Amino acid sequence: MSPLPSHGKRINLLSDLVKIILRRQDKDWECFDPITLKMPGEAGVEPDTCFYIDNRQAILGKERIDLNVDPPPDLAIEVDFTSLTDVEAYQLLKIPELWVYRREELKIYLFREDSYQERENSRLFPDINIKKILPYYVELGWNQGSSIALRQFEALENFS
């Protein structure tokens, strides 16, 4: 089934918002969308988008990412509209941070020991109220246009 416009636009907005934050923080990243992530012999997942930030250097120039050798992405993002993300499906991959956007709400899951735990704050962006600010700009982009939302977000003095 083809993704709906509401899905594609929201994931693009989320990805662009993360890139704005990373640029503002002067951090380098690699972003993949879509990508299949799996352990050999196991079922995989296809996050809507994912970011290598802390582990960016480890995957530069690679045609394939082998999670037996290479680290997982630092952040995976899913937008749920037609299907719901099974957070447990990500456990084998041990992606440190997983965001799931559903019905104007962003849930943040951090991987701890052997499972994901929902948290209020991002490990990657601890000084930003990600759960509050990103849904606002995603929905602004949906209702008024992506370029308007992204320009307004870029114009913020700080993201708190």
Side-chain angles (χ1 to χ4, degrees):
M1 186 165 118
S2 298
L4 298 172
S6 58
H7 177 270
K9 186 168 182 176
R10 284 178 172 93
I11 192 59
N12 285 337
L13 280 160
L14 277 167
S15 181
D16 288 345
L17 292 166
V18 170
K19 290 173 188 175
I20 290 169
I21 294 169
L22 289 167
R23 275 196 304 273
R24 181 83 61 91
Q25 294 179 344
D26 200 29
K27 290 184 179 177
D28 293 322
W29 73 88
E30 294 300 318
C31 178
F32 295 96
D33 52 354
I35 187 172
T36 300
L37 300 169
K38 62 184 258 175
M39 299 297 287
E42 300 288 338
V45 296
E46 291 186 5
D48 290 318
T49 193
C50 66
F51 287 83
Y52 277 87
I53 303 164
D54 297 335
N55 291 312
R56 181 184 81 78
Q57 290 281 24
I59 53 87
L60 288 177
K62 295 201 173 193
E63 290 292 326
R64 293 191 183 276
I65 296 173
D66 179 353
L67 294 179
N68 277 327
V69 177
D70 301 316
D74 298 292
L75 172 64
I77 304 174
E78 292 275 9
V79 172
D80 289 353
F81 274 92
T82 56
S83 62
L84 300 180
T85 298
D86 179 6
V87 174
E88 290 182 14
Y90 279 86
Q91 286 182 178
L92 185 63
L93 303 176
K94 300 178 182 179
I95 296 172
E97 190 159 335
L98 171 65
W99 296 354
V100 179
Y101 187 79
R102 182 184 310 142
R103 295 187 187 105
E104 301 179 26
E105 180 183 16
L106 181 68
K107 293 190 176 196
I108 298 172
Y109 297 93
L110 300 181
F111 189 79
R112 298 281 192 250
E113 296 176 23
D114 292 327
S115 65
Y116 281 97
Q117 299 166 9
E118 188 174 352
R119 295 288 186 235
E120 290 300 310
N121 298 308
S122 167
R123 175 190 69 84
L124 293 166
F125 310 110
D127 298 330
I128 301 171
N129 189 345
I130 295 292
K131 287 184 69 154
K132 178 182 174 187
I133 198 166
L134 294 190
Y136 173 81
Y137 285 95
V138 167
E139 295 308 313
L140 180 67
W142 176 252
N143 293 304
Q144 294 186 21
S146 299
S147 58
I148 290 170
L150 294 173
R151 272 196 304 273
Q152 286 185 20
F153 188 70
E154 286 177 319
L156 291 175
E157 290 293 320
N158 62 53
F159 297 124
S160 50

